[in-house]
Amino acid sequence: QVWGSSGRSHSVDLTALGKHGEVYTEGPFACLAWSRSETRLLYVAEKSRPKPRPPCPWDVPGAARPAEEDEDEEGEQFVYREDWGEALSTRSVPVLCALDLEGSSLSVLEGVPEHLSPGQALWSPDDRGVVFVGWWHEPFRLGLSACSNRRSGIFHLDLASGRCELLSAEHGAACSPRLSPDGRRLLYLEGDLGGPHRQCLRLCMLTWQTRQSVTVLDVVQEPTEAFAGLYAETLPLRCWAADSRRAVLGTPQRSRTDLLLVDTEAATVTNLTAGLPEGCWELLTLQWDLLVATRSAPHRPPSLVVAVLPPAGQELPLCWVPVEDTPTVPGVTWKTLTVRPPCSGQSPATHGAQAFEALLLSPTDGTAPHPLVVCPHGGPHAVFDARWRPSMAALCQLGFAMLLVNYRGSLGFGQASINSLLSRVGEQDVADTQLAVEQALRSEPLDPQRLALLAGSHGAFIALHLLAREPERYQACALRSPVSNLAALLGTSDIPDWRYASLGLPYSFERVPRAEEVAAMLLRSPIAQAARVRTPVLLCVGARDRRVSPTQALELYRVLRARGVPTRLLWYPEGGHALAGVETEADVFGNCTRWLLRHL
C-alpha cells in the first residue's frame, strides 16, 4: 500500500502478479526503497519457480505429452534446492524487483550476475541504476544469519545497458550501502572473509562521481576510552546528517550500545551517548537533522526519544527529549563488573590478559545473599549489552541475581579480543566465565551455595564445560539449543566453516575433515566429559534448528539419563535456533524458571 497526504493512493498484491515468489520483508536481503522521483519502488523477492506438473493417471514412460510441457521439468520435483540456512530457510534465489506506480507495471530486473544473490538495494542518484549488495553463492551457500564474514560486494547495475559493476573490494564482505542526501557519497560496512563469524568492521565511503573508495574508520584492534570499533550488522537506513558529511550509527562499545557520530571528512568519532544512565541506544531514523532513537537499560524498557543534531563541532552535549517515556522496573538494580584475567605468561601479541566485563542484575528486596544465575552468551562472537531483557528482569524480580558474562571473544572489545578466542573455545571462554563468577561471589552479596547456569547455543557449550569441571558447584542448569559435540556439527550445521575456524583451522569449500581434526573437536566438546556431570539439566531445542542440530541435545539427554542425572528435554516441533515466537518463548521461559526455582 502507498499512502500520501490525501490518503491511500495505491494498493498492489505483488505476489498475485505472478512475476516472483514471496516478498522478502525482513532479514539480510530485504529492502523497500523509493526512487528519487517517488514513482518507483525497489524490493527483493524469491525468484518464481515453475509449478510442478500434476501427475497424470496415465503417465506412461515414452508416451506423447502436450507440446507446451517443458521436457526439462521432468524429474525436477525433488531436486535439492539450497537456501541461506538458519532463519533463512525460505530464502534461496533472491531477485531485484521494481514497481512502477505511474505505469502500473512490475518488472524483475535483469543483469545481476548468476553467481550472486542480490539484496539491500537502493536507487542510484540519477534513478537510472540500482546499487545492491551481492553475496557469492558458489559453489554452495553457507548460513548467513549472524555471519558478517561471507563474501559479498557493493554493486551498481545500470538499467539501460544492463552493465553490472563492482564498487567495493573484490575479496571482502561488504554490506549496508547508504547514499548521502546530496547523492555524492556512499557509506558502507566492510569486513574480512573467513575467521570469526562476526568481527570488527571498517566504515568505507565511495565518492559516486569518481568511484574511489576510502576507509573512514578502520578495524580497531585494541579499544580506547573514546572508541572501541564498529560491530553493527547494518547501518541505520537513514544515517546521514543533512550536511552529507556526518553520519550517526549505533554499535556495541564494550557492554553498552552507544550512538556514534562520524565526521566522514575528518575521520573522527564522537560518542553521543557515553556516560548516560541507559546502557543501550538505537537510532531509528535521522531526517532533517532530527534524531529519533530508543533507549533502554536492564531495569528500564525501551522509551522513544528525539534530539536535534547541532552544527558540526557543537554536537555535545546533545539534548534528548522523551516522546514516550517508560518508568524503571521496581526491584531490579544493575552494574558493570570489570574482570581482569591473570597474566598467562604469553607474549603480549596473544592479548591473553585483556580485561572483559560482566553485567550483574540484582534484586532490591533486601533478602541477600541472593542465589546467582550465570549466563554466558551464545555466538560466541556476540555481546550482552546493557539493554532491557524481559526474561532477565523477571528472574531478578523472582529473587535471582543474574550475571551476564562478556568473556574474551565478545563483540565490542576490539578485534584482538575476538581473535583471542580462535583455537581456544572450550578453554578461554570457560575460564573467563568461571573467573567472572568468582569475582562476583567475592564482591557482591551472593549465596555461593545456590548457583545455576542459564544459557543457549555456544553459551550452553560453556555451561556444560563448567558442569563437568566442577560437578558440585552448580545446583541447576537450563539450556537452549546447546552445542555439545563439535565434531557432529560438521555435517549438520549451516556454518561448517565455523567448526574449523573456532579451532584455528583453515577452511575451504572442498574441505574434508581429517581424523586428527575430528578427534580434536571431540576432545574439546562437553559430551566427552558428560560422565562428570551431576547437576540437574533442562534442555530446550527446536526441531527446525539449522545452526545447531537438536540431535546435539538428544545425544546429551541420553547420556545423562543413562547415568542417573535428573534431565528433562523439551522439543519444539516448529522451533528454530532462537526458539522465537510468543508461544515458544513463553513456554521456554516458564519451564526454565520453574526448573531454577525447583532446584535452588
Side-chain angles (χ1 to χ4, degrees):
Q1 293 185 355
V2 179
W3 291 68
S5 55
S6 57
R8 191 177 72 183
S9 60
H10 298 80
S11 183
V12 187
D13 187 337
L14 298 170
T15 310
L17 294 173
K19 295 287 186 76
H20 55 67
E22 182 187 352
V23 176
Y24 291 13
T25 55
E26 58 185 359
F29 297 100
C31 62
L32 186 63
W34 282 109
S35 62
R36 295 261 164 161
S37 61
E38 293 193 2
T39 58
R40 289 184 291 173
L41 275 168
L42 188 61
Y43 63 94
V44 176
E46 182 68 19
K47 184 179 181 180
S48 64
R49 291 183 193 150
K51 290 190 174 132
R53 180 171 57 89
C56 172
W58 294 96
D59 195 0
V60 180
R65 288 192 179 84
E68 67 270 12
E69 288 188 3
D70 188 348
E71 289 286 337
D72 292 339
E73 290 174 27
E74 186 177 2
E76 294 289 307
Q77 185 177 355
F78 297 107
V79 170
Y80 173 67
R81 300 187 192 279
E82 287 181 17
D83 56 54
W84 286 94
E86 174 60 32
L88 299 168
S89 59
T90 60
R91 309 294 188 244
S92 179
V93 185
V95 289
L96 300 178
C97 308
L99 179 67
D100 188 330
L101 296 172
E102 283 187 338
S104 301
S105 63
L106 171 64
S107 57
V108 174
L109 303 186
E110 297 180 350
V112 176
E114 286 289 318
H115 64 277
L116 296 176
S117 287
Q120 298 184 17
L122 62 150
W123 297 92
S124 62
D126 55 10
D127 279 356
R128 290 187 290 200
V130 167
V131 176
F132 68 92
V133 177
W135 283 268
W136 273 255
H137 54 231
E138 297 293 347
F140 56 83
R141 292 160 176 78
L142 290 168
L144 191 54
S145 177
C147 295
S148 63
N149 60 347
R150 302 290 180 237
R151 188 181 178 191
S152 56
I154 310 293
F155 292 84
H156 175 246
L157 175 63
D158 186 282
L159 297 180
S161 67
R163 179 171 174 263
C164 192
E165 169 191 14
L166 176 63
L167 302 177
S168 58
E170 175 76 30
H171 294 280
C175 69
S176 215
R178 302 290 184 259
L179 196 62
S180 62
D182 63 9
R184 294 179 179 179
R185 296 167 172 181
L186 188 77
L187 271 186
Y188 60 93
L189 296 170
E190 187 178 74
D192 294 328
L193 298 183
H197 63 88
R198 287 192 64 188
Q199 54 193 303
C200 186
L201 302 176
R202 289 180 289 276
L203 182 67
C204 300
M205 184 173 69
L206 175 132
T207 302
W208 188 256
Q209 200 68 33
T210 64
R211 298 295 201 267
Q212 295 296 308
S213 281
V214 296
T215 298
V216 178
L217 299 175
D218 210 341
V219 172
V220 172
Q221 293 295 330
E222 299 281 0
T224 64
E225 196 63 40
F227 182 48
L230 296 181
Y231 307 89
E233 287 192 274
T234 58
L235 295 172
L237 277 173
R238 287 179 176 265
C239 62
W240 282 98
D243 58 16
S244 292
R245 169 174 172 162
R246 296 173 297 164
V248 179
L249 54 92
T251 180
Q253 299 287 282
R254 297 181 174 83
S255 298
R256 293 175 56 91
T257 290
D258 282 313
L259 296 183
L260 306 182
L261 181 133
V262 180
D263 186 321
T264 61
E265 291 182 10
T268 57
V269 181
T270 303
N271 192 323
L272 299 176
T273 54
L276 295 177
E278 298 81 12
C280 180
W281 293 74
E282 294 177 290
L283 182 68
L284 300 181
T285 191
L286 168 54
Q287 295 184 57
W288 310 290
D289 284 348
L290 181 70
L291 293 154
V292 184
T294 63
R295 62 185 182 188
S296 73
H299 66 335
R300 184 176 188 176
S303 59
L304 191 66
V305 293
V306 296
V308 175
L309 186 66
Q314 303 171 35
E315 293 91 359
L316 294 178
L318 205 56
C319 179
W320 292 100
V321 179
V323 176
E324 183 186 57
D325 213 0
T326 50
T328 58
V329 171
V332 181
T333 62
W334 69 280
K335 64 169 65 172
T336 303
L337 306 179
T338 300
V339 186
R340 302 190 184 279
C343 290
S344 57
Q346 297 172 315
S347 66
T350 62
H351 307 283
Q354 190 179 57
F356 61 97
E357 292 179 350
L359 299 173
L360 180 67
L361 282 65
S362 302
T364 58
D365 57 11
T367 59
H370 299 109
L372 177 66
V373 179
V374 181
C375 308
H377 61 69
H381 302 308
V383 64
F384 274 134
D385 59 1
R387 72 175 59 225
W388 168 252
R389 290 181 173 82
S391 58
M392 299 297 180
L395 284 166
C396 205
Q397 286 196 317
L398 288 170
F400 297 102
M402 310 296 297
L403 187 67
L404 282 53
V405 184
N406 289 322
Y407 47 85
R408 284 172 293 169
S410 302
L411 300 179
F413 295 81
Q415 186 62 32
S417 173
I418 293 172
N419 291 340
S420 74
L421 189 56
L422 299 184
S423 80
R424 304 190 70 198
V425 295
E427 296 174 353
Q428 177 177 288
D429 42 3
V430 178
D432 282 359
T433 303
Q434 193 56 42
L435 195 62
V437 172
E438 290 165 1
Q439 178 168 321
L441 290 175
R442 280 196 309 270
S443 61
E444 307 295 331
L446 301 168
D447 186 349
Q449 304 306 314
R450 289 187 295 164
L451 299 182
L453 288 156
L454 176 67
S457 193
H458 187 87
F461 169 87
I462 295 171
L464 288 167
H465 272 296
L466 289 169
L467 295 185
R469 280 190 180 191
E470 298 188 84
E472 309 301 325
R473 187 81 186 261
Y474 295 91
Q475 283 70 56
C477 180
L479 305 177
R480 306 175 312 280
S481 312
V483 174
S484 62
N485 186 334
L486 297 178
L489 284 173
L490 277 175
T492 60
S493 175
D494 65 332
I495 52 169
D497 58 313
W498 171 242
R499 307 277 63 93
Y500 292 100
S502 65
L503 295 183
L505 300 170
Y507 174 77
S508 62
F509 282 98
E510 64 272 15
R511 203 176 196 311
V512 175
R514 294 194 281 268
E516 62 271 21
E517 293 166 347
V518 173
M521 291 177 189
L522 188 57
L523 285 172
R524 203 72 70 86
S525 300
I527 196 74
Q529 310 294 328
R532 295 174 52 82
V533 175
R534 301 282 181 271
T535 305
V537 177
L538 172 67
L539 302 166
C540 309
V541 296
R544 296 179 180 268
D545 190 341
R546 300 279 300 282
R547 181 95 357 139
V548 177
S549 170
T551 56
Q552 293 267 310
L554 188 58
E555 180 185 24
L556 182 67
Y557 170 78
R558 288 168 173 166
V559 170
L560 295 179
R561 292 270 295 189
R563 305 190 70 85
V565 177
T567 310
R568 189 171 187 228
L569 175 61
L570 301 178
W571 188 278
Y572 298 91
E574 301 301 315
H577 188 60
L579 293 172
V582 173
E583 187 179 352
T584 301
E585 286 182 44
D587 194 78
V588 170
F589 173 78
N591 272 287
C592 289
T593 303
R594 283 188 289 271
W595 190 261
L596 297 177
L597 288 167
R598 174 181 160 193
H599 292 286
L600 291 188

